[in-house]
Amino acid sequence: MKRLVVITLAGLLLLSIFSTPAVAGRFHRGDIVKVMTRNQYLGANLDPLILADSLEEFFAAATDALNTIAANNFPLRARRFATEVALTKPDLIGLQEVFDFKLNGKNFGPPFVNHLDVTLDALAAKGQNYVVAATVENLDITIPIEGIGNVNVLDRDVILVREGVHFTLLAGDYDLETGTGGLCGISVPPALESMPSEDGCNYTIVAEVTSPVGPITIERGFVGVDATVRGKTYRFVNTHLEGADPAIIQHLQAFELVETLNVTTPDDRPLILVGDFNSSPDDASDNPNVPYQLIVDSGFADIWDTNLFRFFDPNGLTCCEDDDLLNRTSHLDERLDLIFMRETSFLPIAFVTGRVPIFPLNKPPNWASDHRGVFGRLIFR
């Protein structure tokens, strides 16, 4: 805790220094945008459910997962997230794992809550007014669970913009002839072509699981907007790549993403890419097949590399706490939650959010998520 206080005070001091005319004079004050990425976490580990060999094991694992999700009390976690937002006031937020759990078609309360509605309410209660700019729907399944009912699970990635920020949706297919339209439908060899989903796109290659109740397709996607902040327009894209097993899936998703964005984004438009990439710079080691390295090699800069606050937090770890969020001391050992910028001249100030646990530490949840958030303040020439 003492180290946390020192880091926070030092960060605030640096922030004030780099906001002075002497230092920031080379940058036009209007060209500043504040962004955040946050994986909200569904609230339980689904591996036992996915790996179940029988209906009995499947239903038992599903019941355990629902109990853990309920104990992890998303409304409380959303209030902590709202505090992070109130302290940083980002203009644009990329959220991953924004779930909607329903029982027989209705939200009855934890675990059956709509995370997006609860998040917006928590933000408003803190005086932080955001609007849902764009959503991509990923996993969407309904599972009949004996003794409980029909459980519907919907996973989304969402972009929130601060109220008053003008934005344009990038939904649907992109038209190569006119250079207009959304972000989907670009043909990327070999045979990759994302499909529209709500305001965003689903990746071509997805994970498929054979379960006792039938096949389950775990879709992932990306979603973007053009947002005008303080007179300057930025392209802001949010994604959540598949996990590293099997690695070929996340590699192809990352490849489809960067190829699509480089084709569809005007050269003169600053492009900010955020999300949970399930890929760490520690995994890269100049291996072009690792998503992190692939993205960097495609012309995107990891803002942490030139972050003015990196001296105080060299590793910038964001993942992962225990599945039940009961650990009292942090167990983070990877940096998976990232902010990339398609290379241009900018000065980044970034730090990890969500460092402080939820007190008292005598019942779950002890943390707002199994991930931490990342906030970035980008100053352009």
Side-chain angles (χ1 to χ4, degrees):
M1 183 62 70
K2 183 178 180 181
R3 182 173 181 271
L4 173 62
V5 172
V6 171
I7 290 174
T8 302
L9 291 176
L12 291 173
L13 176 61
L14 266 181
L15 184 60
S16 65
I17 290 173
F18 283 94
S19 297
T20 61
V23 177
R26 294 167 53 223
F27 296 86
H28 189 276
R29 180 148 183 87
D31 294 350
I32 296 176
V33 62
K34 297 183 290 183
V35 301
M36 176 182 280
T37 181
R38 195 68 153 101
N39 182 316
Q40 294 196 303
Y41 182 46
L42 64 90
N45 181 5
L46 298 184
D47 285 349
L49 187 145
I50 293 172
L51 298 175
D53 292 324
S54 65
L55 281 174
E56 291 76 13
E57 287 183 15
F58 184 89
F59 291 140
T63 302
D64 288 344
L66 289 173
N67 289 335
T68 303
I69 293 169
N72 277 331
N73 194 345
F74 183 78
L76 174 60
R77 297 196 285 121
R79 291 196 291 273
R80 172 53 62 89
F81 165 71
T83 299
E84 296 175 33
V85 172
L87 291 172
T88 54
K89 296 180 171 55
D91 304 301
L92 307 165
I93 303 175
L95 298 177
Q96 307 88 42
E97 292 194 25
V98 187
F99 277 85
D100 184 6
F101 289 98
K102 286 187 172 74
L103 176 61
N104 297 326
K106 296 182 179 179
N107 300 117
F108 287 102
F112 302 110
V113 297
N114 185 332
H115 288 196
L116 184 54
D117 290 345
V118 172
T119 297
L120 292 173
D121 290 344
L123 289 169
K126 290 285 186 180
Q128 306 302 306
N129 296 314
Y130 285 80
V131 298
V132 178
T135 301
V136 59
E137 293 188 352
N138 302 314
L139 172 72
D140 186 1
I141 60 172
T142 298
I143 303 173
I145 300 180
E146 191 175 294
I148 296 178
N150 291 323
V151 175
N152 178 252
V153 182
L154 173 63
D155 174 34
R156 300 161 291 185
D157 300 323
V158 175
I159 292 176
L160 302 181
V161 302
R162 181 170 288 280
E163 193 173 77
V165 172
H166 175 76
F167 64 90
T168 303
L169 281 176
L170 300 172
D173 287 338
Y174 180 77
D175 189 327
L176 282 170
E177 292 186 4
T178 63
T180 60
L183 300 176
C184 313
I186 295 296
S187 181
V188 177
L192 302 177
E193 188 170 318
S194 56
M195 295 291 295
S197 174
E198 290 297 307
D199 309 313
C201 317
N202 285 140
Y203 290 112
T204 307
I205 306 299
V206 297
E208 294 184 352
V209 177
T210 300
S211 78
V213 295
I216 298 175
T217 301
I218 305 174
E219 292 189 293
R220 301 288 190 186
F222 57 98
V223 62
V225 297
D226 281 341
T228 303
V229 181
R230 302 175 187 89
K232 187 178 182 70
T233 300
Y234 307 87
R235 180 152 296 185
F236 183 77
V237 178
N238 175 35
T239 192
H240 186 185
L241 298 185
E242 188 54 70
D245 186 21
I248 186 62
I249 294 179
Q250 64 168 202
H251 165 77
L252 290 173
Q253 289 178 350
F255 181 70
E256 182 176 342
L257 174 66
V258 294
E259 290 295 309
T260 296
L261 295 183
N262 280 332
V263 169
T264 58
T265 305
D267 292 338
D268 60 349
R269 183 156 304 159
L271 172 57
I272 304 166
L273 173 61
V274 307
D276 174 1
F277 292 86
N278 273 311
S279 181
S280 165
D282 293 335
D283 300 331
S285 301
D286 295 324
N287 180 352
N289 293 319
V290 172
Y292 181 90
Q293 192 64 44
L294 188 156
I295 293 169
V296 170
D297 290 345
S298 298
F300 290 80
D302 179 354
I303 73 165
W304 202 263
D305 290 342
T306 53
N307 173 24
L308 294 176
F309 285 7
R310 186 179 179 184
F311 174 80
F312 303 102
D313 185 13
N315 297 319
L317 302 177
T318 65
C319 187
C320 294
E321 308 296 0
D322 289 354
D323 297 328
D324 59 11
L325 302 181
L326 275 174
N327 53 297
R328 297 192 174 201
T329 58
S330 178
H331 291 173
L332 305 183
D333 60 1
E334 293 183 284
R335 185 162 71 88
L336 305 181
D337 304 86
L338 310 166
I339 300 175
F340 289 102
M341 182 79 216
R342 192 165 69 174
E343 289 187 7
T344 185
S345 179
F346 67 100
L347 181 70
I349 298 172
F351 52 85
V352 174
T353 67
R355 295 178 178 275
V356 180
I358 300 173
F359 296 101
L361 302 179
N362 57 3
K363 63 179 182 179
N366 288 346
W367 305 94
S369 172
D370 65 337
H371 286 240
R372 298 274 173 86
V374 181
F375 169 82
R377 185 175 188 262
L378 308 177
I379 311 170
F380 295 84
R381 285 190 188 278

